Amino acid sequence: MTSETNYYKTQTEPNPIDGNKDIRENDFKKILKKAITENSRLFFRNCTFTEQISISNYSFHQKVRFHNCIFKKDINCKNTTFNQLVDFYQSTFEDNQYFHLTDFLNISIFSEVTFKKAAIFRHCKIDPSSTYISFEKAVFENGLDISNANFWCTLQVYGIEVKNSIPLPNSFEFYKRCSPLKECKHHYNKCRNKKNNTMCFRHETQCTQTILKESLKGIRESYRRVKQEFRKNENHIEALDFHHHEMTIFREELRYKKEKRKRKNQIILYLNKISNDYRRNWFQGLKFTMIYTGIPLYLLILLILYNNHNNDVYSIEFIKSNFTKIASDFLQFMNPFNLKYFPFDQHDEYFALIIASIGKLIIGFGYYQTIQAFRKYGKN
């Protein structure tokens, strides 16, 4: 904290600044100065802040409240210390918000707050004995980054909602700008005007990918942290939603990774996505098993048999007149435990048998994924 840090104490609870007022930066400075002079707490309600406001380098020893307020621009909270309650109940942040080097040493309320763009908490300080941070029913429309927030304290995440697992481009650019990779960004800026230099261009590309990867990793770690908070409270339902966010952002993160297992991980994540939406959708499991796998592969087997028998059997007329037999054969094909299945007992149709064997493996996987989705509200 610098020598210019301002302190104020108060003994009385003020009336809130209310009445649907638009408050500009200069107005806020006057109100802040008046509050310090009169030793009163800050309390805003139903106000709209049309410009950026700054409480940087202040240490608040009494309560600070912003109830049902709208922030058109961000709040500068760098090197700010809240020794007592700070409360943003039902407020809306319409711009990117960065709580950097902000100390939350007591109760900190972000309940029912809406962050329309990026929301970043980084290098914050807490008091393990008294800090309580509530994100109850908060809405993060474009991701959340608390990966370096040091929030090892009581954290309330009941009802928290993330709308876009992967932030929209404008918000994601802000996450990238706030990336902690200072050395990489230094070289990135140094090379910006030297794109004709091959080495410099290559280094710039590597830095860009590294910053992208680290930004996504921070958001993924934040989803994992929230998921763990739900699991600690045995809330497996909402934990599953954040598992979904975690896997979605991880798929995006893998695009910028260079490792031996990259393709393998991408295939695994893709299959989990299309087969049951990361254990959330049993109906998608049925569609994957029947519509995307079982029926198309079985029709391919019929087509192979049709072509191999000079078009005189397994034709449309044959299918119509032998529907019961075909339905029975299809059920045998859909049974992954019937390992001795031969299409219509044709033992010499090797290509059809290969297709059937591959199909049984995929169908078995589809059944397993469907069962996993049915168990989505169990322990995961």
Side-chain angles (χ1 to χ4, degrees):
M1 202 66 64
T2 67
S3 58
E4 298 178 355
T5 298
N6 295 283
Y7 298 90
Y8 74 92
K9 296 183 179 180
T10 179
Q11 301 297 327
T12 60
E13 180 73 46
N15 292 323
I17 298 170
D18 203 342
N20 299 313
K21 295 180 180 179
D22 291 344
I23 298 178
R24 297 185 176 274
E25 183 182 7
N26 289 335
D27 299 330
F28 179 78
K29 287 180 179 178
K30 291 176 184 177
I31 295 168
L32 180 59
K33 183 177 180 180
K34 185 171 185 256
I36 295 171
T37 303
E38 296 180 357
N39 293 323
S40 61
R41 303 173 186 176
L42 281 180
F43 192 179
F44 294 88
R45 186 169 62 194
N46 300 320
C47 295
T48 299
F49 296 87
T50 55
E51 299 174 346
Q52 184 193 58
I53 61 173
S54 176
I55 51 178
S56 177
N57 295 320
Y58 278 85
S59 182
F60 294 94
H61 289 273
Q62 296 297 327
K63 298 175 183 178
V64 178
R65 288 190 176 97
F66 296 91
H67 282 190
N68 199 29
C69 293
I70 297 174
F71 299 95
K72 297 289 186 181
K73 301 293 182 181
D74 65 310
I75 302 177
N76 183 358
C77 294
K78 188 174 182 179
N79 290 320
T80 301
T81 299
F82 298 103
N83 291 282
Q84 295 296 324
L85 171 77
V86 56
D87 186 358
F88 292 96
Y89 177 67
Q90 286 190 338
S91 292
T92 300
F93 292 86
E94 295 190 351
D95 204 355
N96 299 308
Q97 182 57 45
Y98 190 17
F99 292 95
H100 186 212
L101 297 172
T102 308
D103 299 342
F104 300 97
L105 303 182
N106 209 285
I107 298 174
S108 305
I109 304 297
F110 295 92
S111 299
E112 299 185 38
V113 170
T114 299
F115 292 90
K116 290 190 173 293
K117 293 188 177 180
I120 302 175
F121 295 79
R122 185 163 289 149
H123 304 307
C124 301
K125 180 181 177 182
I126 58 99
D127 184 343
S129 63
S130 59
T131 299
Y132 172 90
I133 298 175
S134 174
F135 289 119
E136 181 180 340
K137 296 183 181 179
V139 177
F140 298 89
E141 295 191 5
N142 280 285
L144 164 68
D145 189 348
I146 57 172
S147 58
N148 292 299
N150 301 318
F151 283 165
W152 304 113
C153 57
T154 302
L155 193 63
Q156 172 62 272
V157 294
Y158 166 71
I160 189 173
E161 179 183 356
V162 171
K163 289 195 173 178
N164 293 312
S165 302
I166 303 173
L168 296 176
N170 288 342
S171 296
F172 190 56
E173 283 299 317
F174 187 76
Y175 285 107
K176 285 160 52 182
R177 289 201 302 272
C178 296
S179 171
L181 299 173
K182 294 181 180 179
E183 182 180 351
C184 191
K185 290 201 294 190
H186 169 73
H187 290 295
Y188 176 83
N189 293 330
K190 190 176 179 180
C191 288
R192 203 174 235 172
N193 299 320
K194 299 180 181 179
K195 293 187 178 180
N196 292 327
N197 186 315
T198 305
M199 291 296 293
C200 201
F201 178 76
R202 187 181 302 164
H203 187 79
E204 180 183 1
T205 303
Q206 289 175 349
C207 278
T208 301
Q209 290 186 343
T210 302
I211 291 172
L212 277 167
K213 183 177 67 176
E214 288 300 314
S215 301
L216 291 164
K217 186 177 180 180
I219 299 171
R220 174 169 61 84
E221 171 61 19
S222 303
Y223 295 156
R224 187 201 67 79
R225 178 72 201 285
V226 175
K227 179 185 72 176
Q228 289 303 109
E229 288 295 322
F230 281 126
R231 284 181 172 175
K232 276 167 50 178
N233 296 315
E234 298 293 323
N235 187 341
H236 303 301
I237 296 172
E238 292 184 272
L240 187 61
D241 290 333
F242 275 84
H243 174 75
H244 178 271
H245 294 315
E246 185 184 2
M247 293 298 103
T248 301
I249 203 83
F250 185 47
R251 278 188 67 195
E252 184 71 12
E253 183 186 344
L254 281 173
R255 292 176 55 194
Y256 307 101
K257 281 192 172 185
K258 293 181 179 179
E259 57 180 35
K260 294 180 180 178
R261 296 179 299 172
K262 174 179 176 177
R263 292 300 179 194
K264 187 186 296 184
N265 289 334
Q266 286 179 319
I267 292 170
I268 291 171
L269 288 170
Y270 176 74
L271 288 175
N272 276 277
K273 173 66 178 176
I274 64 171
S275 61
N276 63 8
D277 196 23
Y278 306 118
R279 293 185 289 181
R280 298 199 312 168
N281 190 337
W282 63 266
F283 185 68
Q284 189 163 325
L286 287 180
K287 286 198 300 183
F288 173 82
T289 306
M290 294 291 294
I291 299 175
Y292 301 151
T293 303
I295 294 175
L297 288 179
Y298 189 72
L299 289 176
L300 179 60
I301 290 171
L302 288 182
L303 182 63
I304 293 170
L305 296 176
Y306 175 70
N307 289 331
N308 289 350
H309 288 79
N310 299 318
N311 300 345
D312 56 352
V313 292
Y314 308 113
S315 61
I316 299 298
E317 291 74 17
F318 176 84
I319 292 173
K320 287 180 179 179
S321 59
N322 295 273
F323 181 79
T324 303
K325 183 178 179 181
I326 291 174
S328 175
D329 190 73
F330 176 71
L331 291 177
Q332 293 298 317
F333 169 68
M334 292 298 294
N335 180 3
F337 299 106
N338 185 359
L339 301 180
K340 296 182 179 180
Y341 168 76
F342 292 90
F344 291 97
D345 293 324
Q346 299 290 324
H347 293 258
D348 57 343
E349 297 291 345
Y350 296 112
F351 190 52
L353 182 59
I354 291 172
I355 297 297
S357 300
I358 295 173
K360 281 184 175 291
L361 288 175
I362 302 175
I363 289 166
F365 171 76
Y367 287 147
Y368 174 79
Q369 292 295 86
T370 304
I371 293 169
Q372 284 287 89
F374 265 114
R375 297 178 64 248
K376 68 177 182 176
Y377 293 136
K379 193 169 183 178
N380 57 77

